[in-house]
Amino acid sequence: MKTKVKATFLFCFFLLLSCLYANSQQEESTTLSSNSDAKIKVTPEQKEKYHLKPVHAQLYFDCIFCHEGQGNNPENFEAPDEEVCLACHKSKLYLAKRLEFMDTLKANPHNSVHDGPNLYCDECHREHEPSVNMCSECHLKEIKNNIWMKATP
Amino acid sequence: MANVSRRNFFKIGAVGAGMIALGSTAANADTKKVKYDEEYDVVIIGSGFAALSAAITSAEKGNKVVIVEKMGRIGGNSVINGGLLAVVHSPKQKAEGVQDSVELYMKDSMKAGRNINHPELLKVIATRSNDALNLVQKCGAKFYDKLSHLGGHSVPRTYLSANGSGSGIVIPMFNYLKKMPNVTIKRRTKFEEFILDDTGSVVGILAKEKYRFDSKLKDDDRENKTGKEKYYKAKKGVVMASGGFSRDIFYRKQQDPRISDDADSTNQPGATAGALLKAFEVGAVPVHVSWIQFGPWACPDEKGFGAASNFNINATFRYGISVNAKTGKRYMNELADRRTRATAMFKLVNDNKNYPINICDQTAVDNIIPELAEKALKAGVVKKYNTIEDLAAAYGIPLKELKETIKQYNNYVKAGKDPDFGKPVDKADGVQIAKAPFYGTKGVPKLHHTMGGLKINTKAQVISTKTKEPIPGLYAAGEITGGTHGASRLGSCSIPDCLVFGMIAGENI
Ligand SMILES: Cc1cc2nc3c(=O)[nH]c(=O)nc-3n(C[C@H](O)[C@H](O)[C@H](O)COP(=O)(O)OP(=O)(O)OC[C@H]3O[C@@H](n4cnc5c(N)ncnc54)[C@H](O)[C@@H]3O)c2cc1C
C-alpha cells in the first residue's frame, strides 16, 4: 500500500515537473529553429511515421529538439547520443535512485548488478518504435510474471 | 559509402575512392593507399575479461590503446558470467590450508578435457592465475571470503566475485580503464577486416562505427549493414578478444550439425563467429572448433541461463532424477559431466521436442539456498505439485512407470549405489523423492561455451597455418582461442584463461 501512495505521489510530481520542463524547453526549441536549422520542414507524413512517445508528445517536442545540428533533411536524422536524453533526465544514477521503488528483487535497470550505470538509454528505450527490455534476454520470465519492473516506457 | 556492403567494398575502393586495390581478402589490400582515420599502438577487439586485461597491461606500458566493442553493452559474456574464478596457490588457499599445485590444476583440466587440451597453455594459466587475481583486485574487484569447490576440481580453488557475477570483475576493470588518458573505448563499433602490409603483418583494422547489432537477423555478421567505415592503424598489434560463437546459428551448425537453429544458448546475442572467421582468413590455425559445450541444466520455458539452471544444478540433479516424459524412466546419470548429460538429453529432445522432466522433492529444496527455489518458482519455470499424480498429469508422464522409477531410485539412494547409470547417490545426503510437495521442471541443454578457436602460443601470439610461426602483429586471448580446455571446460576455468592470456598479450606487445 505504502509503495502505491509513494508511486502516485511520484507520478504527480513528475507530471508537474514535465510541465515545468515543457515551458522552458519549448522556448529553447523555438530559438533553435530560428537559428541554425531554420530551414527544416517536417511534413505531417514524417511526423506520423516518426511519432513520439506520449510523454514527449505531450511536451510538444519538435524533431530538432533531439536531432539538433543534424542538418535539415529529417530523412537523414540519426539516433542522438545519450547526452541528449540526459540533458533532461540528468543521469542514470539519478534515475536509478528515483525509480528505486520499482526494483523488487534489486533489479535496478539503471544501475544493475551487471552493467552499473553503463547501459545506453536506447538499449531499452526507443522513441519512435516500441521500447524493449534488454534484461529479458536472460530474465524473460521474471519480467513476464511481474516479479520485476513493468514494461519499458 | 556508409551503406556499401562489405562484399562490394574492395571493388568500390579500387574503382571509386581508390583507397584499396581490388582483392578478395584484406591480405591483398594495398595498405599504402589506406587512409587511416585514427592511429593507435594497440587495437583490441571485444570488451570482456580478455580484452580488458589486455588493455590494462598494454596501456600501463604507455601504449595508446583502443577497445572496439560491437555491442552497446560492455563486457560480452563476461558481464553476465557467474563470477567464478579458479586460482592456484592463492592467498585464500593459504588461509584455508588447501594444498594445490600447477600440476594438479593441469591434471583436473586434462581429465575433463579428455586429454586433448594443449598442456603448455594450461600451465601458463595455472602459473599466472595469481597475477590475474592481483590485476583485478588492483582495479577494485572484491571476492567472497570463502573458496568454492566446483565439480571436477580436486581441491577448492575457486574465488567467487562478491556480487555473484562476472560484472563484479568487469565493472571495476572498465572503470579503471576509463581513468587512463591513453585508452579509448568505442562501443557500437565493429571490427570488420584486418589490414595487412606486404610482409603479411597485421597493421590495422577496418571498423564500422555507430554499428547497431540486430538480434532479429539470422546472421548479423553478414546481413547487418549499419555503421560507418573507419580505418584504425595498429602500430604495435591487434588483440582478438571477441569471445566465443555460441549464438552463431550458421557456424555452430557447421561444427555440430545436431545443433538446431532454434537451440537456445546462455550467451549474450553478440557471441557470433565473424571475428574468428576473419582470423582464419588471414591464416590462423583453427583448434578444436567443433567442441561445443552444452549446459545440461537449462530449461526450455525461459531464455538463456534463466532461473531454472541454478535450481537444477543445486536441487534436481543432485537430489532428484531426470526422466523421459514419454516413458517415465530415467535415462542418464544426473551428475555426469556436462558433455555426457547433454548427449543423453538431446536423444530425447530431438525426438519431437520430448523434453525430459527434472524432479525433486521438498527435502531437496530444503537443502539449497532458499532464493534459488523462490526465484525459479516465481519465474514459473519450476512448478510445485502436491502429489506425484499431479506432477505426472501436468507433464503427461505415464503414472505407473514414474512411480516405479521413483521407488527404484529411492532404493538406490538407500543402498548408496545406482546400478543403472552409476550416479554417485552416496553423495546425495540420503535425500529421496518422498516428501511432498514435489517439484518439476522441463529440461534442455543450452549452448554454453565454445572450447575451440585460434591457436595461440604461450605469448598469446596467433599461429599461422602457412608458416607455423606467429602472424606478426596478431594476438588473441579468451574464448576466441582454442586448445586450453580440450573437449570440455571445467567450471571457473574460463575467467583465469581470459585474464591471464589478455594480460600476456598486453605484456608482449
Ligand atoms: C551465463 C554464463 C555464465 C558463465 N559463468 C562462468 C563462470 O562463473 N566462470 C567461468 O570461468 N566462466 C564462466 N562462463 C564462461 C565465460 O564467461 C566466458 O568464456 C568468458 O566471459 C569469455 O570472455 P572473453 O573476454 O573471451 O569474451 P566475451 O566476454 O564474450 O567478450 C567478447 C566481446 O567481443 C565482442 N565482439 C564479438 N565480435 C566482435 C566484432 N567483430 N567487433 C567488435 N566486438 C566484437 C562481443 O560482443 C563481446 O562483447 C560463463 C558463461 C556464460 C554465458
Side-chain angles (χ1 to χ4, degrees), chain B residues 485-499:
Chain B
H485 306 290
S488 192
R489 172 175 71 78
L490 277 182
S492 78
C493 286
S494 178
I495 305 186
D497 177 14
C498 298
L499 289 176

Side-chain angles (χ1 to χ4, degrees), chain A residues 78 81 113-116 118-120 122-123 126 134 136-142 145 147, chain B residues 72-73 79 163 165 167 171 174 178 187-188 210 212 228 269 301-303 375 378-380:
Chain A
E78 289 178 355
D81 291 338
V113 164
H114 295 300
D115 299 279
N118 297 322
L119 285 182
Y120 287 133
D122 63 355
E123 289 291 336
R126 307 277 159 87
M134 180 184 173
S136 72
E137 271 168 17
C138 303
H139 299 282
L140 183 66
K141 280 283 171 163
E142 287 94 322
N145 296 340
I147 61 169
Chain B
R73 185 184 204 180
V79 88
N163 76 355
S165 166
S167 63
I171 293 179
F174 178 54
K178 275 199 293 193
R187 296 188 234 179
R188 291 186 180 160
K210 296 207 170 188
R212 285 301 294 256
K228 288 194 180 119
D301 293 334
E302 62 181 344
K303 287 207 266 176
K375 222 176 114 185
K378 278 195 176 149

